[in-house]
Amino acid sequence: MDEALLRAVVPGVIGVLRRRGADFAAAEDAVQDALVEAVRTWPDDPPRDPKGWLVAVAWRRFLDAVRADTSRQRREVVVHDEPAPGPGTEVDDTLQLYFLCAHPSLTPASAVALTLRAVGGLTTRQIAQAYLVPEATMAQRISRAKRTVSGVRLDRPGDVGTVLRVLYLVFNEGYSGDVDLAAEAIRLTRRLAAAIDHEEVAGLLALMLLHSARRPARTRPDGSLVPLAEQDRGLWDTRLAAEGVDVLQAALARDRLGEYQAQAAIAALHADARTAAETDWVQIVEWYDELVRLTGSPVARLNRAVAVGEADGPRAGLAALSELDPALPRHAAVAAYLHERDGDLGTAARLYAEAARSAPNLAERDHLTRQAARLNTLLRG
């Protein structure tokens, strides 16, 4: 393929699309799609008119994107930006696209971006705003991802686990820019659940619903974090929580336990407690034991140490924590909490300050800093 020719004609192709009504970002996205198709087909069947071919294919891609975006916006209006209850209603031929966007040859960041663009129908600009990166950077990331998977053949069943990890990454981004990524992840997971009968897809959907149910109580009006034990449970969305429990129970009834079902079971136990004091920590520890058995995850072991501290006392929690690598993210924050529960306020204050310095986001850093300041005030008093 003549790359110099492509570079020469691309600006003209973008110009044609813009004259037909596409904005620059949409035209650039459509041309990128056309270029990926060119890389795939031209070596065996080169067109007589490369620019005309690119214009035709890019224009079709642009129209497809407009239809997808219009459809997505219509769905958002219908559900008032809330995840709709019940099974997904759109069963289409996108199942292979899920597997393609989560192909193991892609990095997690590229897989997430490609999933949002190709499956979710978001524009490059929306995805860039959500991830707080320049639009050009995101366009390059998506373009590279498309080139990576352009020659992939999906003649074998895809890896559901990889797709679920990508969707969970999207969900955990929460809300940023003008895109509610948590709601978008739930919508995409509903579509996947409608397209494939798999207990772990249901487990992930249940987990997302149960976590989303707590969302209204998770932050204060000033944006500061509210710990689970201090949340106003009257603000929790009981409709979402009930749906999450129903989806989880149906998945567990198949008796093929997976990591997302185990995590959803833990979230369901939190949702079931009317007050923090009524939380069934003993059963939560048992579910964390299952999760550790399934995954061996250090993060699951870290969360288990917190649960052990609640079920059997802070010293038991600290004993469980001592078996883990102190370099583990949030290790210092967990240690601080358990030391405070054990009455060692000086150590807890120092660890809260240490945890704040390595916090992954501003809200968490501010919360940990306030915890350290609160304990230091008590120590001086």
Side-chain angles (χ1 to χ4, degrees):
M1 180 181 298
D2 190 338
E3 294 185 6
L5 172 64
L6 285 178
R7 286 195 295 269
V9 301
V10 161
V13 175
I14 291 176
V16 171
L17 266 64
R18 295 200 68 188
R19 287 193 294 274
R20 292 183 180 181
D23 63 31
F24 182 81
E28 190 176 51
D29 280 345
V31 172
Q32 287 174 356
D33 287 345
L35 289 173
V36 170
E37 184 68 10
V39 169
R40 189 179 68 84
T41 62
W42 284 14
D44 296 326
D45 186 20
R48 286 192 295 269
D49 179 7
K51 182 177 178 180
W53 188 97
L54 286 171
V55 167
V57 174
W59 183 244
R60 286 199 299 271
R61 295 293 190 271
F62 169 72
L63 293 177
D64 288 344
V66 169
R67 283 192 290 268
D69 193 48
T70 300
S71 177
R72 183 180 65 82
Q73 291 176 5
R74 188 182 303 117
R75 286 191 298 270
E76 290 175 352
V77 169
V78 170
V79 300
H80 303 289
D81 291 326
E82 288 292 336
T89 58
E90 294 187 4
V91 181
D92 52 28
D93 60 354
T94 59
L95 182 57
Q96 284 194 327
L97 192 55
Y98 277 93
F99 292 126
L100 186 64
C101 292
H103 194 268
S105 62
L106 296 173
T107 65
S110 294
V112 167
L114 190 57
T115 297
L116 289 171
R117 181 73 184 92
V119 183
L122 302 186
T123 66
T124 301
R125 180 177 300 169
Q126 288 174 313
I127 301 169
Q129 289 175 343
Y131 283 91
L132 305 178
V133 300
E135 186 175 344
T137 300
M138 184 56 69
Q140 291 173 357
R141 182 181 301 172
I142 294 172
S143 181
R144 285 195 299 268
K146 289 177 180 177
R147 286 197 299 270
T148 298
V149 301
S150 62
V152 172
R153 293 183 58 188
L154 291 177
D155 51 1
R156 290 178 297 177
D159 179 12
V160 175
T162 301
V163 175
L164 296 183
R165 282 191 289 276
V166 169
L167 291 173
Y168 199 30
L169 283 172
V170 176
F171 179 80
N172 283 329
E173 289 298 327
Y175 178 88
S176 185
D178 66 349
V179 179
D180 187 339
L181 290 175
E184 185 67 18
I186 290 175
R187 184 180 71 80
L188 294 176
T189 306
R190 286 191 191 281
R191 289 178 64 186
L192 183 60
I196 183 171
D197 184 21
H198 194 288
E199 61 280 354
E200 274 290 80
V201 177
L204 178 59
L205 178 58
L207 177 62
M208 290 177 173
L209 293 170
L210 287 160
H211 279 318
S212 290
R214 300 205 301 260
R215 183 173 174 178
R218 196 167 288 147
T219 57
R220 299 182 179 89
D222 63 0
S224 59
L225 294 178
V226 182
L228 178 60
E230 299 173 20
Q231 288 178 14
D232 179 357
R233 299 182 180 220
L235 297 176
W236 289 2
D237 188 327
T238 55
R239 177 185 61 84
L240 278 185
E243 184 190 357
V245 169
D246 287 345
V247 172
L248 172 64
Q249 288 177 339
L252 291 175
R254 303 183 187 190
D255 199 24
R256 292 194 295 269
L257 184 64
E259 60 177 295
Y260 293 111
Q261 294 169 75
Q263 290 183 65
I266 293 167
L269 286 167
H270 284 299
D272 190 51
R274 291 177 297 176
T275 66
E278 296 178 63
T279 304
D280 189 344
W281 287 106
V282 172
Q283 195 173 167
I284 288 176
V285 171
E286 292 173 355
W287 275 111
Y288 271 121
D289 288 341
E290 291 286 353
L291 185 58
V292 169
R293 179 183 62 79
L294 288 165
T295 67
S297 165
V299 174
R301 293 180 185 274
L302 184 69
N303 292 331
R304 178 184 178 278
V306 176
V308 169
E310 299 290 352
D312 300 326
R315 294 194 178 182
L318 287 167
L321 187 65
S322 68
E323 301 174 2
L324 303 178
D325 184 355
L328 195 63
R330 296 190 173 91
H331 185 284
V334 170
Y337 174 75
L338 291 171
H339 277 291
E340 181 183 358
R341 289 279 317 282
D342 196 37
D344 187 352
L345 302 190
T347 299
R350 176 179 58 79
L351 288 168
Y352 276 130
E354 177 186 329
R357 289 192 291 272
S358 59
N361 56 66
L362 182 61
E364 193 168 329
R365 186 190 71 188
D366 288 348
H367 170 71
L368 292 167
T369 300
R370 281 194 295 271
Q371 295 293 85
R374 174 179 58 82
L375 293 186
N376 283 324
T377 298
L378 290 175
L379 289 167
R380 287 195 297 270

